[in-house]
Amino acid sequence: MYSFPMRKKDPINREENLTAEINNIVQQIHDLPTDCRKWNTEQLLMLKKLLSPINNHVTLKATYAFLDWLTMHPELISEAELSKAKLEINSQNANSNGFDVMVPKDSPMIFAEVKCNNPIKGKEGFGSAQITGICKDIDKLMERDKENHKKVRNYHPLDALKFLVLPDTADVRSSTVKLQKKEQNLLLADSVSSFNKDNVYVVFVKF
């Protein structure tokens, strides 16, 4: 019995895919009034479709900004490893399982979670749901949930340098300082001279 050869899947280009998706939606929104009360059903639904891809686009831009930050720390990672990491990130679908950044190498490995939260309380702090989400990522990086934690591609986060990437805004910075009172292992990367595997370091990025 003849079997057709399996067609190879086209390689994923996350950045191009997100850009095309967002641009396609935007091009379908016509004559959008400046007053949201005047938006019609079609306009509202098209704008709603933008929420997820824009969120993924922002996360990708913040992830790239973190890789740019790493270029200022050659003691942590080489240019070749950075290039490889960027290619791997761009070849993965948005919302893939695992960490947003994972650079397995001899020493040290680098794991990072990217959170593009805009504090709903402004400079007064993150909202309760936002704090829960951020703390959940910190717990994952610190492997605090021993019952549910599992290796990621045969690597333990405890064996890696761990980073939490956040947008560099005044509100995020002040909210993060408040969050540090709850998370003793959360340190600001720009306030330390070296990094170890016992803490999670916050890197503020502009993108």
Side-chain angles (χ1 to χ4, degrees):
M1 180 178 177
Y2 179 78
S3 59
F4 290 95
M6 293 185 64
R7 180 181 179 274
K8 291 184 178 180
K9 291 184 178 180
D10 294 331
I12 294 170
N13 188 317
R14 182 173 166 188
E15 185 173 15
E16 286 190 3
N17 290 349
L18 285 171
T19 300
E21 183 179 6
I22 293 170
N23 288 344
N24 180 56
I25 296 172
V26 170
Q27 290 166 9
Q28 296 180 61
I29 303 175
H30 304 292
D31 303 320
L32 189 68
T34 55
D35 186 345
C36 66
R37 293 172 296 183
K38 297 179 181 179
W39 295 349
N40 60 38
T41 302
E42 289 76 13
Q43 290 167 336
L44 285 167
L45 292 177
M46 292 305 295
L47 287 168
K48 186 177 180 181
K49 286 178 67 175
L50 277 172
L51 295 178
S52 178
I54 283 181
N55 182 61
N56 292 330
H57 182 62
V58 170
T59 298
L60 183 60
K61 289 179 72 70
T63 301
Y64 284 167
F66 172 64
L67 297 182
D68 289 340
W69 178 86
L70 284 174
T71 63
M72 298 184 292
H73 296 274
E75 75 278 9
L76 298 182
I77 189 169
S78 68
E79 289 186 13
E81 288 165 333
L82 266 175
S83 297
K84 183 179 179 181
K86 187 170 184 177
L87 286 172
E88 183 168 342
I89 288 167
N90 195 39
S91 67
Q92 296 173 348
N93 283 315
N95 301 315
S96 296
N97 292 330
F99 295 94
D100 293 312
V101 178
M102 193 190 80
V103 185
K105 48 202 286 294
D106 292 335
S107 180
M109 293 184 293
I110 295 173
F111 284 8
E113 283 291 286
V114 179
K115 301 293 285 188
C116 293
N117 288 337
N118 188 27
I120 62 173
K121 297 181 181 179
K123 292 184 180 181
E124 297 304 312
F126 295 109
S128 58
Q130 292 176 319
I131 291 174
T132 298
I134 293 172
C135 290
K136 184 177 180 180
D137 281 345
I138 295 172
D139 288 344
K140 186 166 68 170
L141 286 165
M142 295 296 294
E143 287 190 344
R144 289 172 178 161
D145 190 350
K146 295 299 182 181
E147 292 184 2
N148 296 322
H149 104 262
K150 58 183 179 181
K151 290 183 178 181
V152 181
R153 299 186 199 171
N154 298 318
Y155 297 103
H156 280 294
L158 285 182
D159 298 328
L161 296 178
K162 295 166 279 292
F163 296 92
L164 177 66
V165 183
L166 298 174
D168 190 0
T169 69
D171 287 356
V172 171
R173 281 183 175 268
S174 61
S175 298
T176 302
V177 171
K178 291 180 173 62
L179 184 61
Q180 285 183 287
K181 297 176 182 179
K182 178 181 177 65
E183 289 286 350
Q184 295 182 348
N185 293 104
L186 191 64
L187 304 179
L188 305 185
D190 55 12
S191 67
V192 301
S193 57
S194 61
F195 306 99
N196 61 53
K197 301 175 184 177
D198 300 324
N199 298 295
V200 174
Y201 298 93
V202 178
V203 176
F204 297 109
V205 296
K206 289 187 178 296
F207 46 89

